[in-house]
């Protein structure tokens, strides 16, 4: 097994949620029969930034609808793209021809889901990010 540096370990801890970090500390204490009481505030403080970042990602309120493929019914997909956006015929056709391209950016979850349903109904491949 490759040995991890202290920086590598800290980078891993930053990506963990507070719950995951707490479970790790408990497992560490059991494995090595030690108490991490003195180190716990330091570890939790370091993990708090990672936990806060993870919570921010989970509570995302803006989504991008990305067209990944036009499918067999390209004309139908172009019509739906025009309905969803204020693009003209040429711009919508260029967007569909140049996949993968974002159709809508920074929209609410329900608007993204409706756009995805409409595009998939027309035969397109869609991804919500």
């Amino acid at each position: 097994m490759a040995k991890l540096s202290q920086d590598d370990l800290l980078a891993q801890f930053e990506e963990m949620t507070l719950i995951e970090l707490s479970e790790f500390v408990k497992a560490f204490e059991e494995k090595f029969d030690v108490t991490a009481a003195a180190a716990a505030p330091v570890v939790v403080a370091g993990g708090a930034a990672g936990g806060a970042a993870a919570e921010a990602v989970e509570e995302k309120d803006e989504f991008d609808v990305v067209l990944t493929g036009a499918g067999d019914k390209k004309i139908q997909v172009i019509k739906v793209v025009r309905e969803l956006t204020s693009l003209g015929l040429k711009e919508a056709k260029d967007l569909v021809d140049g996949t993968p391209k974002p159709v809508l950016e920074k929209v609410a979850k329900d608007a993204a889901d409706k756009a995805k349903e409409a595009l998939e109904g027309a035969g397109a491949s869609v991804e919500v990010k």
Side-chain angles (χ1 to χ4, degrees):
M1 183 168 123
K3 185 175 179 180
L4 297 175
S5 71
Q6 186 175 10
D7 292 337
D8 293 338
L9 288 171
L10 289 173
Q12 291 297 318
F13 289 137
E14 286 177 355
E15 295 178 8
M16 298 174 86
T17 65
L18 289 176
I19 294 171
E20 291 171 328
L21 194 54
S22 174
E23 292 171 354
F24 170 78
V25 170
K26 288 176 188 174
F28 186 89
E29 289 174 339
E30 290 174 10
K31 172 81 174 176
F32 297 104
D33 195 28
V34 294
T35 303
V42 174
V43 172
V44 172
E55 289 176 22
V57 170
E58 292 172 359
E59 296 176 14
K60 186 175 179 181
D61 60 351
E62 293 183 341
F63 298 87
D64 295 340
V65 179
V66 180
L67 182 67
T68 56
D72 295 336
K73 301 177 184 176
K74 188 169 150 183
I75 294 172
Q76 292 300 106
V77 174
I78 292 170
K79 288 180 182 179
V80 172
V81 167
R82 290 191 66 203
E83 290 171 12
L84 294 172
T85 64
S86 60
L87 296 176
L89 181 60
K90 180 175 178 5
E91 292 84 7
K93 181 183 180 302
D94 291 345
L95 187 144
V96 171
D97 287 340
T99 57
K101 292 260 183 154
V103 176
L104 298 173
E105 295 182 291
K106 297 182 181 178
V107 296
K109 175 85 171 139
D110 58 341
D113 289 341
K114 287 179 184 177
K116 181 179 179 184
E117 283 180 32
L119 287 165
E120 287 179 340
S125 302
V126 182
E127 187 176 309
V128 176
K129 295 183 179 180

